[in-house]
């Protein structure tokens, strides 16, 4: 939502006039998605989730290639990263949002970088090779 934005509600519409934020306190260390120390169970769960994403992808496995490319090129524009993988910019950005939702990447003003959680996952994945 944005101030001044209009949104449909049932048969009518609303306009946002004021947005209110309130501080909810600090999250516990166990809840932080970007911490760099992950348990074996958490790493296994991430691998399972990424494997499922790869199986569902019409174009084939993409998750680990995308993570590795972002790790090697922090701050590179999405279009340039997409070109490296021979993908459209829109499809690439959609998929990076999925990785971000798992706490594996961070958005920068231009491009992306791998999060500490993503780095821990890649290190685990590389050590298994």
């Amino acid at each position: 939502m944005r101030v001044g934005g209009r949104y449909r509600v049932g048969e009518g519409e609303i306009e946002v006039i004021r947005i209110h934020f309130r501080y909810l306190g600090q999250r516990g260390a166990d809840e932080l998605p970007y911490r760099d120390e992950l348990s074996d169970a958490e790493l296994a769960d991430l691998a399972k989730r990424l494997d499922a994403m790869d199986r569902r992808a019409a174009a084939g496995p993409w998750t680990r290639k995308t993570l590795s490319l972002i790790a090697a090129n922090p701050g590179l524009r999405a279009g340039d990263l997409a070109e490296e993988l021979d993908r459209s910019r829109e499809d690439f950005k959609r998929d990076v949002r999925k990785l971000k939702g798992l706490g594996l990447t961070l958005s920068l003003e231009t491009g992306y970088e791998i999060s500490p959680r993503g780095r821990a996952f890649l290190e685990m994945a590389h050590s298994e090779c």
Side-chain angles (χ1 to χ4, degrees):
M1 290 192 151
R2 61 179 178 76
V3 173
R6 291 181 176 217
Y7 302 91
R8 231 180 233 287
V9 178
E11 296 286 320
E13 110 182 320
I14 62 170
E15 181 178 33
V16 175
I17 295 168
R18 178 176 58 163
I19 298 177
H20 177 77
F21 296 93
R22 68 184 174 101
Y23 182 68
L24 297 176
Q26 208 167 359
R27 295 170 66 172
D30 290 339
E31 297 176 311
L32 293 175
Y34 299 111
R35 68 187 191 286
D36 57 1
E37 292 182 20
L38 301 173
S39 70
D40 290 342
E42 288 172 308
L43 289 170
D45 180 59
L46 281 173
K48 188 175 171 181
R49 289 172 180 241
L50 295 180
D51 289 343
M53 287 179 183
D54 285 341
R55 279 192 305 275
R56 289 189 303 264
W62 62 271
T63 59
R64 287 154 181 87
K65 286 188 254 183
T66 301
L67 284 171
S68 295
L69 184 63
I70 291 170
N73 299 282
L76 191 61
R77 293 176 340 114
D80 294 332
L81 292 167
E83 192 175 301
E84 286 287 321
L85 296 173
D86 196 28
R87 304 197 56 212
S88 75
R89 180 178 172 269
E90 293 77 23
D91 288 346
F92 177 81
K93 289 180 81 161
R94 181 198 64 230
D95 286 343
V96 172
R97 282 192 296 274
K98 293 175 188 175
L99 298 174
K100 184 178 181 181
L102 294 174
L104 300 173
T105 63
L106 301 168
S107 295
L108 303 174
E109 190 169 319
T110 300
Y112 310 95
E113 71 179 346
I114 205 84
S115 70
R117 180 181 175 98
R119 191 169 292 106
F121 176 80
L122 284 177
E123 288 171 5
M124 182 272 311
H126 289 299
S127 70
E128 290 181 351
C129 294

